[in-house]
Amino acid sequence: MTELTAPNVVASSTRTDRRRKLLQNLLRGERPYMLYIAFVVLLVVFSLSSPWFLSIDNFLNIGRQTTLVSIIAVGMTFVIIARQIDLSVASTLALSGMAAALAMSQISNSWIVGAVAGLGTGALVGLLNGILTTQLSIPSFLVTLGSLSMARGLAMMVTNTKPVIITNETYFAIFGEGTFLGIPVPIAWTLAAMIVGILLLHYNVFGRRIYAVGGNPTAALYSGINTKWVTTAAFVLTGALAGLAALVLSARSHAARPDVVQGMELDVIAAVILGGCSLFGGRGYILGTLFGSLIIGTLNNGLVLLGVSSPMQLVIKGAIIVAAVAFTKR
């Protein structure tokens, strides 16, 4: 019988501890394990329930359907980690889309002008949200609830609730209908937003400051972090990404409408929370947000294929948010 040397004993003990910790995390329902399991379960259930679900075309369709939510959810991850919330993202998207379309129709029929107008409008709304939240010490829930209404109202006022037609073919190809390395550009923009989000949050000092502000704002302030600037920057990033989502949507629709994506902030927040981000701040990661968004998109797609009514879909998504918040409570 072979005796175990000291290093072998330590290695064996370490492997045992890792297996025990993994099992404990699974039993407690902690992310990211439960997130991956939930995604696989959804795939299996809908694959067995619908013959049309398990196909490349349908998966690409899910990717396109989740583009808007995924792009904005990247920014929302930063905001929620910083212990804030942004309820205005859907209205910001609508206003940004109108700004892009009007810029191309009234100033210059150039996709660059439209892109700058859309991204700039979104960033401006985010800046206003951040300034009002940090400088006036108003809860972000109330600030963004107000800007939700104001941004939607402005989007309707600028053209008297009428849509604005877009005719720039290059704009369509870059943001809505083209391909990049064989990938549909809406999905490519989603991946680009995710990569930028990962680099900023996990490999940049800005990300470390976001975690610090969300984990303990007082300690972050006394450690020399400009907590107001960091929080405002998170709102600006979210607004700019809402502007990017507006470009994608208007390019796919060939028009900008003031009444689009009403209530989409529900899906965005659900995706972020399902992805492991805590509403109490200080915890979250971009890859989890992507999986959360894919779960929401897969759920929507599967329920439609199964013929579930729209009201019932809303009930299910609301229940998911409540359950996700219960999981994140500390």
Side-chain angles (χ1 to χ4, degrees):
M1 185 173 180
T2 305
E3 292 187 6
L4 288 175
T5 63
N8 289 335
V9 171
V10 173
S12 177
S13 176
T14 301
R15 287 193 294 268
T16 302
D17 290 341
R18 288 176 180 173
R19 294 192 191 100
R20 185 182 297 112
K21 184 176 180 180
L22 175 60
L23 180 60
Q24 289 173 348
N25 287 337
L26 285 170
L27 293 176
R28 287 200 302 264
E30 291 186 1
R31 270 73 58 91
Y33 309 106
M34 289 303 297
L35 180 68
Y36 303 147
I37 292 173
F39 185 60
V40 172
V41 168
L42 276 180
L43 293 179
V44 172
V45 169
F46 287 134
S47 297
L48 295 176
S49 304
S50 173
W52 300 282
F53 181 81
L54 200 62
S55 66
I56 299 298
D57 289 339
N58 190 53
F59 286 146
L60 288 175
N61 188 38
I62 292 174
R64 293 188 186 96
Q65 289 175 347
T66 58
T67 293
L68 305 182
V69 171
S70 297
I71 290 175
I72 300 176
V74 172
M76 187 70 78
T77 302
F78 284 80
V79 169
I80 293 181
I81 290 176
R83 288 196 180 189
Q84 306 297 331
I85 195 73
D86 191 346
L87 301 177
S88 68
V89 288
S91 298
T92 301
L93 184 155
L95 181 60
S96 299
M98 296 298 289
L102 286 172
M104 285 187 287
S105 64
Q106 302 294 330
I107 300 176
S108 171
N109 190 29
S110 166
W111 72 268
I112 297 177
V113 171
V116 171
L119 293 173
T121 299
L124 179 59
V125 175
L127 178 62
L128 292 175
N129 286 336
I131 290 175
L132 291 173
T133 298
T134 59
Q135 300 300 324
L136 300 182
S137 299
I138 303 174
S140 58
F141 178 88
L142 298 177
V143 170
T144 58
L145 186 62
S147 57
L148 176 155
S149 179
M150 290 188 290
R152 183 73 66 176
L154 284 173
M156 292 181 176
M157 285 174 57
V158 290
T159 59
N160 197 24
T161 71
K162 296 178 181 178
V164 179
I165 305 300
I166 301 173
T167 59
N168 191 301
E169 295 292 336
T170 305
Y171 183 83
F172 302 152
I174 292 176
F175 294 107
E177 298 176 346
T179 58
F180 179 74
L181 300 178
I183 303 173
V185 289
I187 299 177
W189 281 114
T190 301
L191 295 176
M194 289 288 171
I195 291 171
V196 171
I198 289 172
L199 293 177
L200 281 177
L201 186 60
H202 302 297
Y203 299 97
N204 188 273
V205 65
F206 176 67
R208 292 194 290 273
R209 289 173 177 171
I210 285 286
Y211 281 114
V213 170
N216 192 324
T218 303
L221 180 63
Y222 283 114
S223 67
I225 296 175
N226 189 334
T227 57
K228 292 183 178 181
W229 180 89
V230 170
T231 302
T232 300
F235 278 108
V236 172
L237 177 62
T238 304
L241 288 174
L244 174 60
L247 302 182
V248 173
L249 177 60
S250 59
R252 289 169 58 185
S253 305
H254 292 202
R257 298 179 58 90
D259 57 349
V260 293
V261 297
Q262 296 189 46
M264 192 184 69
E265 59 274 357
L266 178 71
D267 286 348
V268 173
I269 295 172
V272 175
I273 301 304
L274 282 173
C277 193
S278 172
L279 273 175
F280 305 97
R283 189 175 74 215
Y285 55 106
I286 300 297
L287 188 59
T289 293
L290 174 60
F291 272 93
S293 178
L294 289 175
I295 287 176
I296 293 293
T298 302
L299 186 64
N300 288 337
N301 179 269
L303 292 176
V304 169
L305 291 177
L306 294 179
V308 178
S309 65
S310 296
M312 181 55 67
Q313 291 181 38
L314 293 175
V315 171
I316 293 173
K317 284 190 288 188
I320 286 175
I321 291 180
V322 173
V325 172
F327 271 116
T328 63
K329 189 174 181 180
R330 299 190 269 197

